[in-house]
Amino acid sequence: MHSVELETNLATREAITEHLAQMLEGLYSTDAMASETDGSREAALGELEAFSARGYGRRNFIDADTSRLSAYLRHGQLSITEVAAHAKQHATGRERDEFLKQLSWREFFYLVMEQEGTGTLQNLEPPKYAVRWQAELPDDIRDGDTGLPCVDAWVERLVTDNYLHNHERLWFAAYVTHFRRVDWKAGWDFFREHLLDGDIASNALSWQWVASTFSNKPYFMNQENIAKYSGNRWCATCRVACPFRKSYETLERELFGTTFS
Amino acid sequence: MSALVWLHGGSLSCTDPAMEANPDAPAIFVFDRPFLQENRIAFARLQFMYEGAISALRGRAQTRACVGVQVEEILKFAKNCGCTAVHATQVYSPELERTFDALEEAGLEVVVYAADRLTSYSGSVKRFSAFWRKVEREVLG
Ligand SMILES: Cc1cc2nc3c(=O)[nH]c(=O)nc-3n(C[C@H](O)[C@H](O)[C@H](O)COP(=O)(O)OP(=O)(O)OC[C@H]3O[C@@H](n4cnc5c(N)ncnc54)[C@H](O)[C@@H]3O)c2cc1C
């Protein structure tokens, strides 16, 4: 297999795009478009400086100002202690503590992966409901063409911004695994393809947490939950038959054939 | 024993532990062709990583960034630089483990640095709530 030398002193992001588009031809799955997020250590430090954790108490709302540092943590431009030290210095009270707790999820998932090794990419526990998941991600999901405005918007954002808010990730994962009965590994792979922060630990283990192969019960949401945390972004104008517009009890019975509460 | 630093996808910074321990050593970053042929990865991810890699390599006398078979390219670079050891930071992944093993089999010494940690916790882990109870004071302190 032949090797190709890469230029390391390109002056602009556009020049990098052009160079890599050529040199990596055939080795990427999308158009040759850079994300808005610059991957340099210098850019990472700029983002860290700009983050104050103000408003982090609203972190579950998809328009909240979360740090957007995950990709830099994933690829090492920032270290976890550096980010924690910044939060301790610049944030206070509940917001500070909540941010540090979220950061600990990352540490937790990495410890689980170290403990489980390649098992992280297999079901760590049996699913907590009777289910046969299909292996492949259906094309309508991959193409953002399900007809459900919220789901299609998550796919669009994933593919164009290479980022999703944590709540959107949870909703999408629940839709894929429970409402469409697709194996979480297909969802994990789709996220890894597009997310700048896509990794093995946080990604696979979060999917497993939703699927119930790494938790005591499956995670799922209903339309009320989506409407609340999205500020009614999609529901207000949505006219489709909504699979999520049901009570939790009804959804539990329909999706899992049992109740967990 | 002269060392080179291998920058992988989890260590793209001049502050990476292996980089900091070897400030004057040659350093290399490789896009692994077989991995990218087997796995779907968006272009945006590759550019993001590459920007991290070149900003990490900047300022070093001897560097190399390339596309090829990871292990082969690291071995070639080691030979050209007269290095007998590869230093890298541990971030668990199956591919990383395979690369470490292959480099060792090819006769290079592999020196692995612990990745940065938020806590000193070293017990077993199963559920976040139990983990959080054990580390909360250390993390928030
Ligand atoms: C199905 C699914 C897949 C996910 N895949 C990934 C992934 O591939 N890579 C990844 O880094 N995160 C993943 N997450 C976790 C989480 O969604 C992102 O880390 C977070 O949304 C990143 O945004 P932020 O940097 O603004 O987070 P902030 O809220 O600002 O949090 C700060 C940092 O803490 C860490 N963090 C926060 N929440 C979590 C969490 N729930 N789990 C793990 N770490 C967390 C991240 O490193 C994040 O950058 C996934 C979550 C789900 C539900």
Side-chain angles (χ1 to χ4, degrees), chain A residues 56 66-70 73 99 102-103 105-106 109 163-166 169-170 173 191 195 197-199 202-203 206-207:
Chain A
Y56 197 75
T66 60
S67 72
R68 300 284 299 251
L69 295 174
S70 50
L73 285 159
F99 181 77
Q102 286 309 116
L103 210 50
W105 271 99
R106 179 187 157 81
F109 284 142
Y163 178 82
L164 281 180
H165 181 278
N166 186 57
R169 298 182 197 210
L170 286 166
F191 269 15
L195 288 173
D197 62 35
D199 65 4
S202 299
N203 191 4
S206 295
W207 276 92

Side-chain angles (χ1 to χ4, degrees), chain A:
Chain A
M1 220 177 264
H2 67 292
S3 66
V4 177
E5 299 304 311
L6 296 173
E7 278 297 331
T8 54
N9 50 7
L10 297 156
T12 62
R13 298 197 72 212
E14 292 69 31
I16 294 175
T17 306
E18 206 175 305
H19 182 60
L20 289 185
Q22 256 180 29
M23 299 311 205
L24 295 173
E25 205 184 339
L27 298 177
Y28 45 88
S29 65
T30 58
D31 290 342
M33 300 258 292
S35 86
E36 278 180 20
T37 315
D38 181 330
S40 67
R41 160 90 176 153
E42 295 74 21
L45 284 175
E47 293 298 318
L48 182 63
E49 276 312 304
F51 180 65
S52 71
R54 208 166 305 124
Y56 197 75
R58 291 185 71 254
R59 68 176 184 84
N60 284 327
F61 291 85
I62 65 169
D63 65 350
D65 285 329
T66 60
S67 72
R68 300 284 299 251
L69 295 174
S70 50
Y72 295 124
L73 285 159
R74 154 69 177 96
H75 288 295
Q77 292 95 331
L78 295 176
S79 75
I80 197 164
T81 46
E82 199 172 22
V83 173
H86 175 87
K88 285 182 181 178
Q89 204 185 340
H90 296 279
T92 52
R94 213 169 69 87
E95 290 176 340
R96 166 195 185 273
D97 292 359
E98 191 55 32
F99 181 77
L100 291 168
K101 184 172 181 183
Q102 286 309 116
L103 210 50
S104 305
W105 271 99
R106 179 187 157 81
E107 172 108 340
F108 170 71
F109 284 142
Y110 273 80
L111 289 175
V112 174
M113 183 172 67
E114 216 170 81
Q115 175 180 292
E116 304 295 336
T118 47
T120 308
L121 288 174
Q122 304 301 322
N123 287 355
L124 285 175
E125 299 163 23
K128 306 306 181 295
Y129 67 104
V131 61
R132 192 175 296 162
W133 284 310
Q134 69 174 82
E136 300 293 328
L137 191 69
D139 285 344
D140 68 309
I141 300 182
R142 187 180 293 282
D143 298 340
D145 192 24
T146 65
L148 300 173
C150 54
V151 174
D152 294 346
W154 303 328
V155 173
E156 166 83 14
R157 185 176 189 198
L158 172 69
V159 170
T160 53
D161 290 358
N162 306 99
Y163 178 82
L164 281 180
H165 181 278
N166 186 57
H167 232 140
E168 293 174 306
R169 298 182 197 210
L170 286 166
W171 293 331
F172 181 76
Y175 172 71
V176 169
T177 49
H178 306 316
F179 290 81
R180 298 292 298 271
R181 298 287 206 252
V182 177
D183 196 320
W184 63 264
K185 292 178 211 74
W188 166 78
D189 191 58
F190 187 45
F191 269 15
R192 183 188 56 168
E193 176 180 359
H194 293 286
L195 288 173
L196 289 188
D197 62 35
D199 65 4
I200 297 181
S202 299
N203 191 4
L205 292 167
S206 295
W207 276 92
Q208 297 223 44
W209 186 84
V210 169
S212 78
T213 54
F214 183 52
S215 59
N216 299 331
K217 56 180 195 231
Y219 167 86
F220 66 108
M221 72 297 179
N222 66 8
Q223 180 266 337
E224 225 174 287
N225 183 272
I226 297 173
K228 175 176 173 189
Y229 288 104
S230 69
N232 238 337
R233 186 172 301 183
W234 304 287
C235 303
T237 53
C238 183
R239 296 287 170 269
V240 303
C242 175
F244 314 124
R245 192 188 287 276
K246 291 176 185 167
S247 70
Y248 278 117
E249 291 71 31
T250 306
L251 280 175
E252 262 188 327
R253 244 183 294 114
E254 286 182 5
L255 294 174
F256 312 123
T258 181
T259 50
F260 292 96
S261 21

Side-chain angles (χ1 to χ4, degrees), chain B residues 55-123:
Chain B
S55 98
L57 294 174
R58 202 169 295 136
R60 287 201 176 226
Q62 236 177 334
T63 63
R64 181 172 185 230
C66 61
V67 191
V69 179
Q70 190 133 261
V71 174
E72 287 174 14
E73 299 310 323
I74 297 171
L75 290 171
K76 247 193 260 175
F77 187 57
K79 201 166 161 212
N80 287 345
C81 304
C83 294
T84 50
V86 178
H87 290 226
T89 298
Q90 178 77 48
V91 177
Y92 180 81
S93 91
E95 288 95 24
L96 205 76
E97 295 299 315
R98 279 197 290 275
T99 305
F100 284 151
D101 290 348
L103 291 170
E104 236 158 25
E105 262 169 46
L108 286 183
E109 188 198 355
V110 175
V111 179
V112 178
Y113 295 77
D116 191 38
R117 288 274 311 269
L118 184 62
T119 73
S120 53
Y121 183 75
S122 62

